[in-house]
Amino acid sequence: MARRTAWLAGALFWTAFAVLEGVNHGWLAGALALLFLLLPDLTFLIALDEAPRMAKGQLPPRAVPYYNALHRAAVPLVLLVAYAAGPVAWPPAFAALCGWLAHISYDRAFGYGLRTKEGFQRDSQRRYRQDSRQGFRQGFRQGFRQDFQRD
């Protein structure tokens, strides 16, 4: 619980910083911050054609490397350090990195993490995860039955 609270505090910090950059440096900084706040979750579009065949909560495996790359906090943090230490000073880029870090922080705060190579959440309950030998249908049926069983 403490970890999620820390991620939420970070998310609020990066959001406030992105908004501040947008206010101080104009519409382009604000637009890039908003774009990078939303961009990491648009990786599902890479394999949109495979989505109907996936189990509930599963990202198509073809999209997983892109999803995971855009959901690693180290990537925007390294870029942020490079921006701060480098000769380039373009505030919209900094605002975009703040938006990106805000997105990752919100995801972690709400319990979303990286995906397995099969496309399931790594840190969540693996209720719908099926062994590759089982196949999709059997895994889907088991998950469906669990949803409607009475406790």
Side-chain angles (χ1 to χ4, degrees):
M1 190 62 169
R3 183 174 286 175
R4 284 192 180 183
T5 304
W7 278 111
L8 182 59
L12 295 172
F13 171 80
W14 291 115
T15 301
F17 218 141
V19 169
L20 181 67
E21 289 297 305
V23 169
N24 288 340
H25 299 288
W27 70 268
L28 184 59
L32 283 178
L34 182 61
L35 175 68
F36 275 75
L37 183 68
L38 302 173
L39 184 68
D41 281 344
L42 297 180
T43 53
F44 77 91
L45 294 173
I46 292 168
L48 192 60
D49 59 324
E50 297 175 23
R53 297 186 301 273
M54 299 294 110
K56 182 178 178 184
Q58 183 183 15
L59 188 67
R62 188 167 42 120
V64 169
Y66 303 102
Y67 179 91
N68 284 345
L70 290 178
H71 282 84
R72 291 187 188 278
V75 176
L77 280 173
V78 166
L79 291 172
L80 197 61
V81 169
Y83 176 86
V88 177
W90 192 50
F94 184 76
L97 293 171
C98 291
W100 191 0
L101 280 166
H103 175 95
I104 293 169
S105 300
Y106 280 120
D107 272 2
R108 298 300 188 283
F110 296 130
Y112 299 106
L114 300 177
R115 301 289 183 129
T116 64
K117 65 181 181 177
E118 295 87 14
F120 293 97
Q121 288 288 331
R122 286 188 182 171
D123 298 328
S124 68
Q125 271 186 343
R126 297 172 196 243
R127 215 164 128 181
Y128 295 99
R129 183 174 182 189
Q130 69 273 4
D131 186 24
S132 60
R133 289 171 273 137
Q134 279 182 313
F136 170 75
R137 289 181 191 208
Q138 185 179 359
F140 179 76
R141 283 189 205 121
Q142 287 174 352
F144 187 75
R145 280 190 216 114
Q146 288 175 357
D147 284 346
F148 291 96
Q149 283 179 345
R150 294 188 182 168
D151 295 324

